[in-house]
Amino acid sequence: MTLSSTFLDRIRSLSRRRPSVAWRRFLALGLALLAALTGFWPDVGHPAVAAARDLPAGVPLTADDVRVVSLSAPLPGSFSGADAVVGRALTSPARAGVPLTDFDLAGVPGELASVAVRVADQGLAEVVRVGSRVDVVSPSAEVLAENASVRETRGQVVVLTLPRRNATRVAAMSLDHELAVTLR
């Protein structure tokens, strides 16, 4: 008899025997411990891009403005890497640590522009705050822009971030007239 047949014979004889009670208990204990460990195993999380600090609206994001955080559950519309948001502008201000989603960013880099508008009503100019959403209305009651984000306020002048296609109309109209804004 050769060594290989002896080895195969031993394997066959071991496979025919029933495992001892101690071996079965040891195997059951090992499986129970494995199940307990996997129940407490930490979730690796879901990466999402978040604001590294408080960010204003309308300013293109840089790599220093964002960081990747780990969330316990996936966030719809979030980005897993910072490369996806660098160069794009926020449509509204963002707080530090808050994950950014596709609703927070302008569709295409360079799609937004900021325009300084002299508001006709001084009282309303004092009520408007950074981050507010407004509509811009001409003296003839024509709506020049909708859902513009307030980027900055200085007395009667309000700096608005809005789509570039509307920004030129608002800028041209504000040269000759004071404009009205309506709060959303």
Side-chain angles (χ1 to χ4, degrees):
M1 199 177 216
T2 66
L3 180 62
S4 63
S5 65
T6 306
F7 180 71
L8 287 175
D9 288 340
R10 286 185 183 197
I11 296 287
R12 286 185 194 124
S13 69
L14 286 174
S15 65
R16 287 186 211 132
R17 282 192 281 172
R18 263 184 84 171
S20 67
V21 174
W23 178 251
R24 287 185 295 198
R25 287 183 182 165
F26 177 72
L27 186 60
L29 178 65
L31 290 174
L33 284 174
L34 183 63
L37 283 175
T38 57
F40 293 111
W41 198 266
D43 188 9
V44 293
H46 303 276
V49 175
R53 57 184 172 81
D54 288 349
L55 299 170
V59 178
L61 297 173
T62 65
D64 295 333
D65 293 333
V66 296
R67 61 186 169 100
V68 178
V69 297
S70 180
L71 301 177
S72 60
L75 180 64
S78 65
F79 302 93
S80 59
D83 295 340
V85 300
V86 171
R88 294 177 67 179
L90 290 170
T91 57
S92 62
R95 290 272 182 206
V98 175
L100 302 176
T101 65
D102 51 356
F103 287 126
D104 298 321
L105 299 173
V108 177
E111 183 180 298
L112 296 179
S114 294
V115 176
V117 174
R118 181 171 300 279
V119 179
D121 184 6
Q122 176 64 34
L124 182 62
E126 293 172 0
V127 174
V128 174
R129 300 281 180 245
V130 172
S132 298
R133 296 298 213 165
V134 296
D135 295 339
V136 182
V137 183
S138 71
S140 63
E142 176 189 3
V143 177
L144 300 174
E146 294 180 342
N147 201 22
S149 176
V150 176
R151 180 175 173 189
E152 189 176 340
T153 61
R154 299 227 176 169
Q156 214 170 341
V157 176
V158 177
V159 179
L160 303 174
T161 301
L162 54 148
R164 188 169 298 282
R165 60 181 155 55
N166 294 30
T168 54
R169 287 182 57 208
V170 170
M173 187 68 76
S174 69
L175 292 174
D176 297 328
H177 306 286
E178 291 180 336
L179 302 176
V181 295
T182 58
L183 293 170
R184 285 189 157 239

